Structure formats: structure tokens, C-alpha cells
Amino acid sequence: MTGSTPQRPHHPPRDLDQPHDLVGIGIGPFNLSLAALAHGVPGGLDTAFYEQSPAFHWHPGLLIEGATLQVPFLADLVTLADPASPWSFLNYLRSRDRLFPFYFAEKFHIQRAEYDAYCRWVSGQLPGLHFGHQVDSVRWNPERALFEVDFTQLDADGEAEALGRAYTRNVALGVGTEPYVPEPLKPLADAPTVPVIHSADYLLHRPQLLTADHVTVIGSGQSGAEIFLDLLRARPAGAEKIHWLTRTEAFAPMEYSKLGLEHFTPDYTRYFHSLPEPTRNELVPRQWQLHKGIDADTIAAIHDELYRRTLHGGWPDAVLTPGVRVRTAGRVATTKVELHLEHLQQSARSRITTDAVVLATGYRERPVDRMLAGLDPYLRHDSAGRAKIDTDYRLVLDPSVTGSVYVQNAEKHTHGVGAPDLGLAAWRSATILNSVTGKEPYPLPRRTAFTSFGLERQEAPRIPAQGQALTPLTQN
């Protein structure tokens, strides 16, 4: 299909000491978005992106059949910044002869597996991506006024094969997040013989979980709901033997009203960044339903499945309990787990024995302290010891550093709940590229929300000079 698939341009061998304009560390959706939009900058940018994994994969353990993205397909890598980009989801469909089937399917929210396939299509053709390269350190070289990025090239088995160094004027950190395991369950999750797994590895362990006599799912976000539903559908009626537990006070729907979604706009991001640090710190935990709730369709599907199992009398053997935390956990014999629970509202305690535990407990920002140790003397921190980040997603560095380090999905404390949202990926990438180039290759809208999140700052009223007569106010 002529013209539908972007062609990888031919580049002559480059001088290894020649600095890049931008080096990206990590190739997840966010840095892949940055790479795709950088490819379209007029005049070109010299970029390189490094990823230690051998190929692109997006949450492979959670590509459950039928599971969809929680954002529309327009939240692809590029469209909300450059709808004409050759790296759009629609162009991917065109290259696969699937544009008309998609049109008639009338799906605004695509399946996760399809999003993963789309990103792999982009990553397989976009120039400047280096998989199997582990970045070890980043330093500022004041003599050359450049960043030095040291990396290890890995072989097919993940073993070190060669060492390398790249020089660059700017760096973009997109190393993503890592699964979070609560402290009481860490010893069991690290034990190879105990079936305590994070939801990130769900599909890898699904056959084992389906044969387990009793399964406990911990966590009430979208992943926990999808895993509970998948297990429920696969287990026999009347013998489901599933517990679903969560610390939150309810299995609550995600805020998905049209005005509520405006919290994921650039307007709200700018407003949030302008707030005082203490206010931002208090605000993020209160907004959990914006990003930690459950899609309403998934909640409805769970209830429908539970209800279907009551049609012939009896109730399904499934226990759904919110407001519960795991105090401690231990092994019983060699194959079972005992969970010691506390109900937060009742102040009551109990325990259950289960054969397998799935931890849908979310993710935390991946530590980069070791990688950025060489930049530590230049970094500026807030009162909580977190990196200061400006409106253009740059780490605030000492003025002697003339290059910039940008972050992607590591700025929730400064930019709000939209940091991990795919819908802001293209806009953030465009913001970064506008900053890198000092121009505006991607003109961005000045207004993106109907909501005005704060009061406009007005000048204080001018106080008349002493002795100046005041005009009396009259009332008719």
C-alpha cells in the first residue's frame, strides 16, 4: 500500500563523538511518542533512544483478551500534537488494510493488545531506537558543555556485550514505573515457590491461577477489576473461590464525566504546576478516583457475571470486601498463604488462607538515583527531597549546566494526575521538543478546557494618594 508505511531514512555512519541533540533513556509509550514527533521536526533532530529490553512491549502481562484502553484511540503517540503524522494509529490501520473495518466497528476505545501492536509497529520502523542497550550513567561534562551517557550493549541473553558512550545536548528520561509490592507481602512475592504475583505478570501465571483452589486479588483499580472478572468468568459456577480485597472504601467507578476529564488537559496541568507545593501534595491523594477508579463498563460486567450465577439459586462463592488492609502475611505449609487482615472502619481483624495472591497494587516511579548520581551536585530539590521540575518538564539544574534533562511520567508531584495518562503524551512530547529546539515546530493550543481551574490574578486596587478626594457612591 503505497505511502501508508513510513520509510526508514538512510543515514550515513556518524562520528561517535558528534553530539546528539537529544538522547532518550527508556522506550516506553512516552519516549516512543517523543521519538516519533522528533522524527517530524522540520530540519531534523539528531536523536538516539536507548532501552535495555530487546524489543518494545507494553504491559504484556495485562493484555487480557477484551481489555481496552481507558482513553480514546486519538490518545496515540502523536495525533493530539500532529494529526498529520505518519506515526498515527489511523495510519497504522491503513498500513494493515484495517481502516474500513475499524470505521465500521465504531470503537472509540481500542483494545490494549491493539495499542501494543500499534506501538510495536512504530518502534519497528522509527529510526534512532536502540533496544538491548542499558544506560548506566549520565554525567555533565563542563569542558564540552555536553551530557555523557554511558551504556552497555546487551546480547540476546541480556548479558553485557560491549560498552559505549553517547554525547548529547539534552536528555529525556522515560524509564517508566515498576510494580509496587506492599511491605507485608514482599518476602512472599520474592519466594519462587509461593504463588504471590504482581498483576504485571498476570498472564504469565494465569494457567497456574486457574487451577488454584482459592485465589485472592488485592487492589481495586482497573487492573484488579479486570483480573477478578477474568478469573470469575473462567471458574465454575458455585465453586469460584475468589476473594477480592482493597484498602479503598468502595469498588468505585473512575471519574469519567466530560468535565471531570478536563483534569487531564494541559490547562489543568499548568494550573496544578502553579499551586504551592503543600497544596499540590494534599491534592493528589484526594484525586484518586481520577486515575485509580474502575471503568464503569468493567464494574457493570462484574455485576452482570455475578448476577448471572444466581439465576438458578444460590450465590457465587466470591467475596468482595473494600476497606481492608493486609497487616501481615505468611506461608502455610509450602503452597498456601495466610493473610492477616484489618477492616479500617470496623477496627476488626481477621485472617484468610488462600492458594494464590494477585497483587493489583499499582506502580511506583522507577528509581534513577544511581543512573543520575553524576548529576546530583547540579540537581535542585523541593522540601520533600523530590526533583524540582519546571513547566517544560525539565529538571531544575544548576545554572552552570547549559543542557536540559526532561522527564516523562516522573512529575506527578509537580504536574498532577495527568503525568501517567496516555492522553497527554503527545502534548508533553511536543512541549519538550518546542523547548529543545527553542522554536515551535508543534504549535500548541492556548486553551484546552472549558473549566477555569483558578481565579484570574488581578492587580490590587490602586489606593488613592493621601488627600485625594473620593467620589461618593450613590444608590438610586
PDB file of all heavy atoms in Angstrom, residues 221-254:
ATOM      1  N   GLY A 221      -8.170  -1.090  41.648  1.00  0.00           N
ATOM      2  CA  GLY A 221      -8.082  -0.299  40.431  1.00  0.00           C
ATOM      3  C   GLY A 221      -8.546  -1.097  39.219  1.00  0.00           C
ATOM      4  O   GLY A 221      -9.087  -2.204  39.332  1.00  0.00           O
ATOM      5  N   GLN A 222      -8.307  -0.529  38.039  1.00  0.00           N
ATOM      6  CA  GLN A 222      -8.750  -1.174  36.817  1.00  0.00           C
ATOM      7  C   GLN A 222      -8.123  -2.544  36.629  1.00  0.00           C
ATOM      8  O   GLN A 222      -8.793  -3.495  36.217  1.00  0.00           O
ATOM      9  CB  GLN A 222      -8.435  -0.271  35.619  1.00  0.00           C
ATOM     10  CG  GLN A 222      -8.938  -0.786  34.291  1.00  0.00           C
ATOM     11  CD  GLN A 222     -10.454  -0.782  34.177  1.00  0.00           C
ATOM     12  OE1 GLN A 222     -11.129  -0.112  34.944  1.00  0.00           O
ATOM     13  NE2 GLN A 222     -10.982  -1.522  33.220  1.00  0.00           N
ATOM     14  N   SER A 223      -6.844  -2.683  36.936  1.00  0.00           N
ATOM     15  CA  SER A 223      -6.174  -3.977  36.763  1.00  0.00           C
ATOM     16  C   SER A 223      -6.788  -5.032  37.675  1.00  0.00           C
ATOM     17  O   SER A 223      -7.044  -6.164  37.247  1.00  0.00           O
ATOM     18  CB  SER A 223      -4.675  -3.842  37.047  1.00  0.00           C
ATOM     19  OG  SER A 223      -4.061  -2.983  36.122  1.00  0.00           O
ATOM     20  N   GLY A 224      -7.025  -4.668  38.940  1.00  0.00           N
ATOM     21  CA  GLY A 224      -7.643  -5.616  39.861  1.00  0.00           C
ATOM     22  C   GLY A 224      -9.014  -6.043  39.390  1.00  0.00           C
ATOM     23  O   GLY A 224      -9.380  -7.226  39.478  1.00  0.00           O
ATOM     24  N   ALA A 225      -9.791  -5.094  38.873  1.00  0.00           N
ATOM     25  CA  ALA A 225     -11.140  -5.412  38.400  1.00  0.00           C
ATOM     26  C   ALA A 225     -11.095  -6.338  37.191  1.00  0.00           C
ATOM     27  O   ALA A 225     -11.860  -7.304  37.090  1.00  0.00           O
ATOM     28  CB  ALA A 225     -11.878  -4.128  38.053  1.00  0.00           C
ATOM     29  N   GLU A 226     -10.202  -6.062  36.257  1.00  0.00           N
ATOM     30  CA  GLU A 226     -10.108  -6.895  35.057  1.00  0.00           C
ATOM     31  C   GLU A 226      -9.640  -8.305  35.381  1.00  0.00           C
ATOM     32  O   GLU A 226     -10.134  -9.285  34.805  1.00  0.00           O
ATOM     33  CB  GLU A 226      -9.163  -6.242  34.047  1.00  0.00           C
ATOM     34  CG  GLU A 226      -9.734  -4.981  33.423  1.00  0.00           C
ATOM     35  CD  GLU A 226      -8.750  -4.249  32.544  1.00  0.00           C
ATOM     36  OE1 GLU A 226      -7.557  -4.616  32.544  1.00  0.00           O
ATOM     37  OE2 GLU A 226      -9.162  -3.304  31.858  1.00  0.00           O
ATOM     38  N   ILE A 227      -8.720  -8.420  36.325  1.00  0.00           N
ATOM     39  CA  ILE A 227      -8.232  -9.745  36.706  1.00  0.00           C
ATOM     40  C   ILE A 227      -9.312 -10.517  37.454  1.00  0.00           C
ATOM     41  O   ILE A 227      -9.539 -11.712  37.203  1.00  0.00           O
ATOM     42  CB  ILE A 227      -6.944  -9.607  37.543  1.00  0.00           C
ATOM     43  CG1 ILE A 227      -5.790  -9.158  36.641  1.00  0.00           C
ATOM     44  CG2 ILE A 227      -6.601 -10.920  38.253  1.00  0.00           C
ATOM     45  CD1 ILE A 227      -4.540  -8.767  37.386  1.00  0.00           C
ATOM     46  N   PHE A 228     -10.010  -9.847  38.366  1.00  0.00           N
ATOM     47  CA  PHE A 228     -11.112 -10.511  39.067  1.00  0.00           C
ATOM     48  C   PHE A 228     -12.160 -11.006  38.074  1.00  0.00           C
ATOM     49  O   PHE A 228     -12.641 -12.144  38.162  1.00  0.00           O
ATOM     50  CB  PHE A 228     -11.745  -9.554  40.079  1.00  0.00           C
ATOM     51  CG  PHE A 228     -12.942 -10.130  40.779  1.00  0.00           C
ATOM     52  CD1 PHE A 228     -12.811 -11.010  41.837  1.00  0.00           C
ATOM     53  CD2 PHE A 228     -14.230  -9.795  40.351  1.00  0.00           C
ATOM     54  CE1 PHE A 228     -13.922 -11.550  42.476  1.00  0.00           C
ATOM     55  CE2 PHE A 228     -15.349 -10.322  40.975  1.00  0.00           C
ATOM     56  CZ  PHE A 228     -15.191 -11.205  42.036  1.00  0.00           C
ATOM     57  N   LEU A 229     -12.515 -10.170  37.110  1.00  0.00           N
ATOM     58  CA  LEU A 229     -13.521 -10.549  36.118  1.00  0.00           C
ATOM     59  C   LEU A 229     -13.034 -11.718  35.263  1.00  0.00           C
ATOM     60  O   LEU A 229     -13.795 -12.662  34.989  1.00  0.00           O
ATOM     61  CB  LEU A 229     -13.854  -9.352  35.233  1.00  0.00           C
ATOM     62  CG  LEU A 229     -14.861  -9.584  34.105  1.00  0.00           C
ATOM     63  CD1 LEU A 229     -16.199 -10.054  34.666  1.00  0.00           C
ATOM     64  CD2 LEU A 229     -15.041  -8.316  33.279  1.00  0.00           C
ATOM     65  N   ASP A 230     -11.782 -11.683  34.867  1.00  0.00           N
ATOM     66  CA  ASP A 230     -11.240 -12.764  34.039  1.00  0.00           C
ATOM     67  C   ASP A 230     -11.237 -14.086  34.803  1.00  0.00           C
ATOM     68  O   ASP A 230     -11.618 -15.136  34.263  1.00  0.00           O
ATOM     69  CB  ASP A 230      -9.824 -12.406  33.582  1.00  0.00           C
ATOM     70  CG  ASP A 230      -9.250 -13.418  32.607  1.00  0.00           C
ATOM     71  OD1 ASP A 230      -9.835 -13.612  31.532  1.00  0.00           O
ATOM     72  OD2 ASP A 230      -8.214 -14.034  32.938  1.00  0.00           O
ATOM     73  N   LEU A 231     -10.831 -14.056  36.067  1.00  0.00           N
ATOM     74  CA  LEU A 231     -10.835 -15.271  36.886  1.00  0.00           C
ATOM     75  C   LEU A 231     -12.263 -15.757  37.124  1.00  0.00           C
ATOM     76  O   LEU A 231     -12.549 -16.959  37.059  1.00  0.00           O
ATOM     77  CB  LEU A 231     -10.144 -15.007  38.221  1.00  0.00           C
ATOM     78  CG  LEU A 231      -8.624 -14.781  38.186  1.00  0.00           C
ATOM     79  CD1 LEU A 231      -8.128 -14.326  39.555  1.00  0.00           C
ATOM     80  CD2 LEU A 231      -7.898 -16.061  37.767  1.00  0.00           C
ATOM     81  N   LEU A 232     -13.155 -14.812  37.395  1.00  0.00           N
ATOM     82  CA  LEU A 232     -14.548 -15.167  37.657  1.00  0.00           C
ATOM     83  C   LEU A 232     -15.164 -15.893  36.456  1.00  0.00           C
ATOM     84  O   LEU A 232     -15.832 -16.924  36.612  1.00  0.00           O
ATOM     85  CB  LEU A 232     -15.346 -13.910  37.994  1.00  0.00           C
ATOM     86  CG  LEU A 232     -16.823 -14.077  38.331  1.00  0.00           C
ATOM     87  CD1 LEU A 232     -16.995 -14.907  39.600  1.00  0.00           C
ATOM     88  CD2 LEU A 232     -17.484 -12.703  38.483  1.00  0.00           C
ATOM     89  N   ARG A 233     -14.940 -15.376  35.282  1.00  0.00           N
ATOM     90  CA  ARG A 233     -15.514 -15.973  34.077  1.00  0.00           C
ATOM     91  C   ARG A 233     -14.938 -17.359  33.793  1.00  0.00           C
ATOM     92  O   ARG A 233     -15.592 -18.193  33.160  1.00  0.00           O
ATOM     93  CB  ARG A 233     -15.251 -15.059  32.882  1.00  0.00           C
ATOM     94  CG  ARG A 233     -16.128 -13.823  32.854  1.00  0.00           C
ATOM     95  CD  ARG A 233     -15.687 -12.849  31.778  1.00  0.00           C
ATOM     96  NE  ARG A 233     -16.674 -11.779  31.567  1.00  0.00           N
ATOM     97  CZ  ARG A 233     -16.435 -10.686  30.850  1.00  0.00           C
ATOM     98  NH1 ARG A 233     -15.249 -10.502  30.278  1.00  0.00           N
ATOM     99  NH2 ARG A 233     -17.384  -9.780  30.697  1.00  0.00           N
ATOM    100  N   ALA A 234     -13.718 -17.594  34.255  1.00  0.00           N
ATOM    101  CA  ALA A 234     -13.040 -18.847  33.912  1.00  0.00           C
ATOM    102  C   ALA A 234     -13.256 -19.951  34.942  1.00  0.00           C
ATOM    103  O   ALA A 234     -12.875 -21.094  34.700  1.00  0.00           O
ATOM    104  CB  ALA A 234     -11.541 -18.592  33.748  1.00  0.00           C
ATOM    105  N   ARG A 235     -13.864 -19.610  36.091  1.00  0.00           N
ATOM    106  CA  ARG A 235     -14.013 -20.606  37.150  1.00  0.00           C
ATOM    107  C   ARG A 235     -15.461 -21.089  37.221  1.00  0.00           C
ATOM    108  O   ARG A 235     -16.397 -20.351  36.892  1.00  0.00           O
ATOM    109  CB  ARG A 235     -13.546 -20.009  38.489  1.00  0.00           C
ATOM    110  CG  ARG A 235     -12.036 -19.690  38.471  1.00  0.00           C
ATOM    111  CD  ARG A 235     -11.605 -18.895  39.681  1.00  0.00           C
ATOM    112  NE  ARG A 235     -11.451 -19.730  40.861  1.00  0.00           N
ATOM    113  CZ  ARG A 235     -10.345 -20.405  41.159  1.00  0.00           C
ATOM    114  NH1 ARG A 235      -9.307 -20.386  40.342  1.00  0.00           N
ATOM    115  NH2 ARG A 235     -10.269 -21.111  42.270  1.00  0.00           N
ATOM    116  N   PRO A 236     -15.690 -22.320  37.645  1.00  0.00           N
ATOM    117  CA  PRO A 236     -17.035 -22.914  37.592  1.00  0.00           C
ATOM    118  C   PRO A 236     -18.006 -22.238  38.552  1.00  0.00           C
ATOM    119  O   PRO A 236     -17.637 -21.826  39.661  1.00  0.00           O
ATOM    120  CB  PRO A 236     -16.795 -24.374  37.982  1.00  0.00           C
ATOM    121  CG  PRO A 236     -15.507 -24.370  38.737  1.00  0.00           C
ATOM    122  CD  PRO A 236     -14.677 -23.284  38.141  1.00  0.00           C
ATOM    123  N   ALA A 237     -19.247 -22.130  38.127  1.00  0.00           N
ATOM    124  CA  ALA A 237     -20.288 -21.525  38.955  1.00  0.00           C
ATOM    125  C   ALA A 237     -20.472 -22.318  40.241  1.00  0.00           C
ATOM    126  O   ALA A 237     -20.524 -23.545  40.238  1.00  0.00           O
ATOM    127  CB  ALA A 237     -21.604 -21.469  38.178  1.00  0.00           C
ATOM    128  N   GLY A 238     -20.562 -21.605  41.352  1.00  0.00           N
ATOM    129  CA  GLY A 238     -20.732 -22.232  42.652  1.00  0.00           C
ATOM    130  C   GLY A 238     -19.445 -22.664  43.303  1.00  0.00           C
ATOM    131  O   GLY A 238     -19.419 -23.016  44.478  1.00  0.00           O
ATOM    132  N   ALA A 239     -18.365 -22.646  42.544  1.00  0.00           N
ATOM    133  CA  ALA A 239     -17.052 -23.029  43.089  1.00  0.00           C
ATOM    134  C   ALA A 239     -15.990 -22.032  42.636  1.00  0.00           C
ATOM    135  O   ALA A 239     -14.873 -22.403  42.309  1.00  0.00           O
ATOM    136  CB  ALA A 239     -16.686 -24.445  42.638  1.00  0.00           C
ATOM    137  N   GLU A 240     -16.364 -20.755  42.635  1.00  0.00           N
ATOM    138  CA  GLU A 240     -15.436 -19.723  42.151  1.00  0.00           C
ATOM    139  C   GLU A 240     -14.236 -19.566  43.095  1.00  0.00           C
ATOM    140  O   GLU A 240     -13.104 -19.430  42.648  1.00  0.00           O
ATOM    141  CB  GLU A 240     -16.166 -18.380  42.025  1.00  0.00           C
ATOM    142  CG  GLU A 240     -17.248 -18.371  40.954  1.00  0.00           C
ATOM    143  CD  GLU A 240     -18.579 -18.902  41.451  1.00  0.00           C
ATOM    144  OE1 GLU A 240     -18.647 -19.295  42.655  1.00  0.00           O
ATOM    145  OE2 GLU A 240     -19.536 -18.915  40.676  1.00  0.00           O
ATOM    146  N   LYS A 241     -14.521 -19.517  44.386  1.00  0.00           N
ATOM    147  CA  LYS A 241     -13.496 -19.427  45.426  1.00  0.00           C
ATOM    148  C   LYS A 241     -12.505 -18.290  45.143  1.00  0.00           C
ATOM    149  O   LYS A 241     -11.313 -18.500  44.956  1.00  0.00           O
ATOM    150  CB  LYS A 241     -12.754 -20.761  45.566  1.00  0.00           C
ATOM    151  CG  LYS A 241     -13.651 -21.898  46.051  1.00  0.00           C
ATOM    152  CD  LYS A 241     -12.836 -23.172  46.300  1.00  0.00           C
ATOM    153  CE  LYS A 241     -13.720 -24.278  46.839  1.00  0.00           C
ATOM    154  NZ  LYS A 241     -12.969 -25.533  47.088  1.00  0.00           N
ATOM    155  N   ILE A 242     -13.056 -17.079  45.110  1.00  0.00           N
ATOM    156  CA  ILE A 242     -12.235 -15.884  44.880  1.00  0.00           C
ATOM    157  C   ILE A 242     -12.543 -14.854  45.960  1.00  0.00           C
ATOM    158  O   ILE A 242     -13.705 -14.620  46.291  1.00  0.00           O
ATOM    159  CB  ILE A 242     -12.518 -15.242  43.510  1.00  0.00           C
ATOM    160  CG1 ILE A 242     -12.498 -16.276  42.384  1.00  0.00           C
ATOM    161  CG2 ILE A 242     -11.502 -14.145  43.204  1.00  0.00           C
ATOM    162  CD1 ILE A 242     -12.900 -15.694  41.040  1.00  0.00           C
ATOM    163  N   HIS A 243     -11.505 -14.258  46.521  1.00  0.00           N
ATOM    164  CA  HIS A 243     -11.631 -13.084  47.377  1.00  0.00           C
ATOM    165  C   HIS A 243     -11.081 -11.881  46.610  1.00  0.00           C
ATOM    166  O   HIS A 243     -10.052 -11.993  45.936  1.00  0.00           O
ATOM    167  CB  HIS A 243     -10.827 -13.246  48.678  1.00  0.00           C
ATOM    168  CG  HIS A 243     -11.612 -13.821  49.814  1.00  0.00           C
ATOM    169  ND1 HIS A 243     -12.066 -15.121  49.816  1.00  0.00           N
ATOM    170  CD2 HIS A 243     -12.009 -13.265  50.998  1.00  0.00           C
ATOM    171  CE1 HIS A 243     -12.714 -15.355  50.955  1.00  0.00           C
ATOM    172  NE2 HIS A 243     -12.696 -14.253  51.679  1.00  0.00           N
ATOM    173  N   TRP A 244     -11.779 -10.754  46.732  1.00  0.00           N
ATOM    174  CA  TRP A 244     -11.278  -9.504  46.152  1.00  0.00           C
ATOM    175  C   TRP A 244     -11.279  -8.466  47.263  1.00  0.00           C
ATOM    176  O   TRP A 244     -12.320  -8.101  47.801  1.00  0.00           O
ATOM    177  CB  TRP A 244     -12.168  -9.078  44.993  1.00  0.00           C
ATOM    178  CG  TRP A 244     -11.670  -7.881  44.230  1.00  0.00           C
ATOM    179  CD1 TRP A 244     -10.413  -7.330  44.255  1.00  0.00           C
ATOM    180  CD2 TRP A 244     -12.435  -7.077  43.331  1.00  0.00           C
ATOM    181  NE1 TRP A 244     -10.337  -6.249  43.423  1.00  0.00           N
ATOM    182  CE2 TRP A 244     -11.555  -6.068  42.834  1.00  0.00           C
ATOM    183  CE3 TRP A 244     -13.755  -7.106  42.879  1.00  0.00           C
ATOM    184  CZ2 TRP A 244     -11.975  -5.100  41.923  1.00  0.00           C
ATOM    185  CZ3 TRP A 244     -14.164  -6.141  41.965  1.00  0.00           C
ATOM    186  CH2 TRP A 244     -13.284  -5.158  41.495  1.00  0.00           C
ATOM    187  N   LEU A 245     -10.098  -8.015  47.644  1.00  0.00           N
ATOM    188  CA  LEU A 245      -9.915  -7.127  48.781  1.00  0.00           C
ATOM    189  C   LEU A 245      -9.254  -5.829  48.330  1.00  0.00           C
ATOM    190  O   LEU A 245      -8.425  -5.821  47.422  1.00  0.00           O
ATOM    191  CB  LEU A 245      -9.037  -7.788  49.848  1.00  0.00           C
ATOM    192  CG  LEU A 245      -9.413  -9.213  50.278  1.00  0.00           C
ATOM    193  CD1 LEU A 245      -8.348  -9.773  51.201  1.00  0.00           C
ATOM    194  CD2 LEU A 245     -10.779  -9.211  50.962  1.00  0.00           C
ATOM    195  N   THR A 246      -9.588  -4.734  49.014  1.00  0.00           N
ATOM    196  CA  THR A 246      -8.956  -3.452  48.696  1.00  0.00           C
ATOM    197  C   THR A 246      -8.973  -2.538  49.902  1.00  0.00           C
ATOM    198  O   THR A 246      -9.868  -2.615  50.748  1.00  0.00           O
ATOM    199  CB  THR A 246      -9.662  -2.769  47.523  1.00  0.00           C
ATOM    200  OG1 THR A 246      -9.065  -1.491  47.312  1.00  0.00           O
ATOM    201  CG2 THR A 246     -11.140  -2.582  47.799  1.00  0.00           C
ATOM    202  N   ARG A 247      -7.971  -1.649  49.973  1.00  0.00           N
ATOM    203  CA  ARG A 247      -7.923  -0.656  51.046  1.00  0.00           C
ATOM    204  C   ARG A 247      -8.956   0.452  50.836  1.00  0.00           C
ATOM    205  O   ARG A 247      -9.406   1.069  51.804  1.00  0.00           O
ATOM    206  CB  ARG A 247      -6.536  -0.015  51.108  1.00  0.00           C
ATOM    207  CG  ARG A 247      -5.444  -0.917  51.637  1.00  0.00           C
ATOM    208  CD  ARG A 247      -4.104  -0.218  51.536  1.00  0.00           C
ATOM    209  NE  ARG A 247      -4.089   1.010  52.312  1.00  0.00           N
ATOM    210  CZ  ARG A 247      -3.575   1.125  53.529  1.00  0.00           C
ATOM    211  NH1 ARG A 247      -3.032   0.077  54.117  1.00  0.00           N
ATOM    212  NH2 ARG A 247      -3.586   2.268  54.159  1.00  0.00           N
ATOM    213  N   THR A 248      -9.291   0.760  49.609  1.00  0.00           N
ATOM    214  CA  THR A 248     -10.233   1.855  49.357  1.00  0.00           C
ATOM    215  C   THR A 248     -11.600   1.531  49.947  1.00  0.00           C
ATOM    216  O   THR A 248     -11.948   0.378  50.160  1.00  0.00           O
ATOM    217  CB  THR A 248     -10.373   2.122  47.846  1.00  0.00           C
ATOM    218  OG1 THR A 248     -10.748   0.908  47.192  1.00  0.00           O
ATOM    219  CG2 THR A 248      -9.068   2.615  47.261  1.00  0.00           C
ATOM    220  N   GLU A 249     -12.396   2.578  50.175  1.00  0.00           N
ATOM    221  CA  GLU A 249     -13.665   2.402  50.873  1.00  0.00           C
ATOM    222  C   GLU A 249     -14.754   1.807  49.994  1.00  0.00           C
ATOM    223  O   GLU A 249     -15.823   1.455  50.491  1.00  0.00           O
ATOM    224  CB  GLU A 249     -14.130   3.747  51.443  1.00  0.00           C
ATOM    225  CG  GLU A 249     -13.188   4.291  52.516  1.00  0.00           C
ATOM    226  CD  GLU A 249     -13.638   5.624  53.063  1.00  0.00           C
ATOM    227  OE1 GLU A 249     -14.638   6.162  52.531  1.00  0.00           O
ATOM    228  OE2 GLU A 249     -13.017   6.126  54.005  1.00  0.00           O
ATOM    229  N   ALA A 250     -14.514   1.712  48.692  1.00  0.00           N
ATOM    230  CA  ALA A 250     -15.529   1.169  47.791  1.00  0.00           C
ATOM    231  C   ALA A 250     -14.867   0.716  46.505  1.00  0.00           C
ATOM    232  O   ALA A 250     -13.758   1.148  46.175  1.00  0.00           O
ATOM    233  CB  ALA A 250     -16.600   2.217  47.495  1.00  0.00           C
ATOM    234  N   PHE A 251     -15.551  -0.184  45.794  1.00  0.00           N
ATOM    235  CA  PHE A 251     -15.146  -0.513  44.433  1.00  0.00           C
ATOM    236  C   PHE A 251     -15.754   0.581  43.558  1.00  0.00           C
ATOM    237  O   PHE A 251     -16.852   0.430  43.010  1.00  0.00           O
ATOM    238  CB  PHE A 251     -15.649  -1.902  44.043  1.00  0.00           C
ATOM    239  CG  PHE A 251     -15.036  -2.997  44.883  1.00  0.00           C
ATOM    240  CD1 PHE A 251     -15.753  -3.591  45.908  1.00  0.00           C
ATOM    241  CD2 PHE A 251     -13.742  -3.422  44.648  1.00  0.00           C
ATOM    242  CE1 PHE A 251     -15.194  -4.588  46.681  1.00  0.00           C
ATOM    243  CE2 PHE A 251     -13.170  -4.419  45.417  1.00  0.00           C
ATOM    244  CZ  PHE A 251     -13.891  -5.010  46.434  1.00  0.00           C
ATOM    245  N   ALA A 252     -15.053   1.684  43.458  1.00  0.00           N
ATOM    246  CA  ALA A 252     -15.631   2.915  42.943  1.00  0.00           C
ATOM    247  C   ALA A 252     -15.327   3.111  41.460  1.00  0.00           C
ATOM    248  O   ALA A 252     -14.256   2.744  40.969  1.00  0.00           O
ATOM    249  CB  ALA A 252     -15.090   4.103  43.730  1.00  0.00           C
ATOM    250  N   PRO A 253     -16.272   3.712  40.754  1.00  0.00           N
ATOM    251  CA  PRO A 253     -16.030   3.992  39.336  1.00  0.00           C
ATOM    252  C   PRO A 253     -15.051   5.138  39.152  1.00  0.00           C
ATOM    253  O   PRO A 253     -14.980   6.056  39.969  1.00  0.00           O
ATOM    254  CB  PRO A 253     -17.422   4.382  38.816  1.00  0.00           C
ATOM    255  CG  PRO A 253     -18.121   4.931  40.011  1.00  0.00           C
ATOM    256  CD  PRO A 253     -17.604   4.145  41.185  1.00  0.00           C
ATOM    257  N   MET A 254     -14.307   5.071  38.075  1.00  0.00           N
ATOM    258  CA  MET A 254     -13.417   6.164  37.731  1.00  0.00           C
ATOM    259  C   MET A 254     -14.233   7.376  37.315  1.00  0.00           C
ATOM    260  O   MET A 254     -15.290   7.249  36.706  1.00  0.00           O
ATOM    261  CB  MET A 254     -12.485   5.732  36.592  1.00  0.00           C
ATOM    262  CG  MET A 254     -11.434   6.757  36.220  1.00  0.00           C
ATOM    263  SD  MET A 254     -10.258   6.094  35.025  1.00  0.00           S
ATOM    264  CE  MET A 254      -9.398   4.886  36.037  1.00  0.00           C
TER     265      MET A 254
END
